């Protein structure tokens, strides 16, 4: 019997990185996983490798798309037990260099996408009187950083909405839990792309990044698995950090820590 046996999970951003690692881990533990991602090129092939998973093309920035996705999943599977809001984009810029366009782009995927996902999952989960919503945040919402303005703001908004949903659910007796996960640097295509840009424009900072601890996506997937399972029944409104002390040591952790 798996740790999330027969639970039905939607994972956004599941075509790559942390979302993909979590799709694999939840499926290994018996969940039926709907891998929702805007990337319909690699997504279907990744889903085909995972027993118990299917790919659905989904743009998290559209509330209409969310309404349809959640309703289709409930109609096809009879339930929605787990939602992981993992889709996200990052672009390095300080407040001084952040245009309205960049601000809206990052917030459309992170903030709006998570808001719509939570809203529609809650709508069906409260009727079932059960469900676990997990929102992928970042240590950026704890530490900030000079050149990660819009991203840190978006992750902080997600952290706040997570706590609000958890409090509402407890107050109203909905039986739905909502928690956030805050990874430090994890080895994914997103981190690789960010590192390459830093290396090009700011080799000194890239050298600092070289010294930092970098985690494995499965470490985050295991945290999500715990929050998705009934093992975490008393964990609600929590911000779970997965960073091997990076936030409390300001990132100065040797790579081999
Ligand atoms: N990698 C890290 O070090 C790290 C650290 C902290 C937090 N995070 C967060 O974890 C999440 C996953 O990051 P990752 O490193 O796996 O990145 P990634 O780039 O490997 O994967 C992100 C996925 O999101 C999808 N996506 C982007 N826009 C979308 C949209 N509009 N609708 C649906 N899907 C969309 C992409 O297609 C991609 O598959 C993000 O929210 C990110 O901010 C990552």
């Amino acid at each position: 019997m798996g740790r999330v046996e027969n639970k039905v999970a939607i994972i956004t951003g599941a075509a790559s990185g942390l979302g993909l690692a979590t799709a694999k881990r939840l499926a290994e533990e018996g969940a039926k996983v709907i891998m929702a991602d805007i990337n319909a090129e690699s997504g279907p092939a990744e889903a085909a490798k995972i027993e118990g998973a299917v790919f659905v093309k989904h743009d998290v920035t559209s509330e209409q798309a969310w309404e349809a996705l959640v309703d289709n999943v409930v109609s096809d599977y009879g339930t929605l037990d787990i939602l992981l809001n993992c889709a996200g984009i990052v672009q390095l810029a300080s407040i001084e260099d952040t245009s309205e366009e960049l601000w809206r782009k990052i917030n459309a995927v992170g903030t709006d996408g998570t808001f719509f996902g939570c809203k529609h999952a809650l709508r069906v989960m409260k009727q079932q009187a059960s469900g676990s919503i997990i929102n992928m945040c970042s240590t950026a919402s704890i530490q900030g950083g000079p050149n990660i303005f819009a991203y840190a703001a978006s992750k902080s908004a997600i952290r706040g909405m997570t706590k609000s949903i958890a409090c509402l659910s407890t107050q109203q007796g909905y039986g739905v839990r909502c928690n956030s996960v805050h990874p430090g640097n994890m080895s994914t295509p997103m981190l690789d792309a960010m590192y390459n840009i830093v290396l090009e424009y700011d080799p000194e900072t890239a050298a600092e990044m070289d010294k930092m601890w970098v985690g494995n996506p499965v470490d985050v997937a295991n945290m999500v698995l715990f929050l998705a399972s009934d093992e975490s029944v008393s964990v609600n409104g929590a911000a779970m950090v997965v960073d091997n002390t990076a936030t409390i040591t300001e990132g100065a952790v040797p790579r081999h820590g």
Side-chain angles (χ1 to χ4, degrees):
M1 177 98 170
R3 290 166 64 191
V4 283
E5 194 72 34
N6 289 326
K7 287 188 189 284
V8 175
I10 295 176
I11 300 179
T12 70
S16 173
L18 303 183
L20 177 58
T22 307
K24 286 180 187 159
R25 200 63 198 94
L26 293 192
E28 277 167 11
E29 293 292 341
K32 296 168 193 157
V33 181
I34 294 92
M35 295 171 61
D37 201 294
I38 202 165
N39 182 348
E41 278 164 32
S42 67
E46 294 295 353
K49 292 183 223 160
I50 305 172
E51 203 186 322
V54 295
F55 177 79
V56 175
K57 187 173 182 196
H58 176 61
D59 181 355
V60 297
T61 66
S62 158
E63 181 167 13
Q64 231 181 353
W66 267 113
E67 197 169 1
L69 175 67
V70 167
D71 288 347
N72 288 341
V73 166
V74 173
S75 149
D76 291 351
Y77 295 85
T79 179
L80 173 63
D81 304 303
I82 300 159
L83 168 65
L84 170 63
N85 286 302
C86 196
I89 53 172
V90 68
Q91 207 168 312
L92 295 176
S94 69
I95 184 171
E96 293 165 316
D97 297 329
T98 297
S99 61
E100 182 180 347
E101 190 191 3
L102 177 59
W103 170 264
R104 295 209 185 283
K105 190 171 129 188
I106 289 175
N107 277 283
V109 179
T111 317
D112 300 355
T114 303
F115 158 48
F116 298 144
C118 289
K119 182 176 166 186
H120 288 282
L122 189 65
R123 171 169 63 82
V124 300
M125 286 175 172
K126 74 177 188 184
Q127 286 169 357
Q128 305 164 180
S130 71
S132 176
I133 300 173
I134 300 131
N135 292 329
M136 196 58 74
C137 278
S138 167
T139 51
S141 68
I142 300 168
Q143 280 183 310
N147 295 315
I148 203 152
F149 175 71
Y151 180 83
S154 173
K155 293 302 188 188
S156 299
I158 296 169
R159 185 171 189 241
M161 67 175 94
T162 299
K163 291 185 188 299
S164 177
I165 294 161
C167 291
L168 177 76
S169 177
T170 302
Q171 181 198 53
Q172 299 295 321
Y174 286 165
V176 179
R177 295 184 294 111
C178 187
N179 294 289
S180 56
V181 175
H182 301 253
N185 287 339
M186 295 290 156
S187 179
T188 70
M190 178 187 275
L191 184 70
D192 292 348
M194 206 159 70
Y195 177 82
N196 289 335
I197 290 167
V198 174
L199 188 63
E200 195 178 336
Y201 293 102
D202 185 358
E204 251 176 58
T205 302
E208 287 301 307
M209 282 176 81
D210 282 339
K211 292 184 211 147
M212 289 178 188
W213 172 84
V214 177
N216 190 320
V218 78
D219 302 340
V220 175
N222 280 324
M223 177 61 83
V224 176
L225 171 63
F226 168 66
L227 294 172
S229 77
D230 297 337
E231 295 160 18
S232 57
V233 73
S234 298
V235 184
N236 197 7
M240 312 294 273
V241 178
V242 185
D243 75 343
N244 191 27
T245 75
T247 33
I248 55 173
T249 56
E250 297 180 343
V253 181
R255 188 182 271 281
H256 301 294

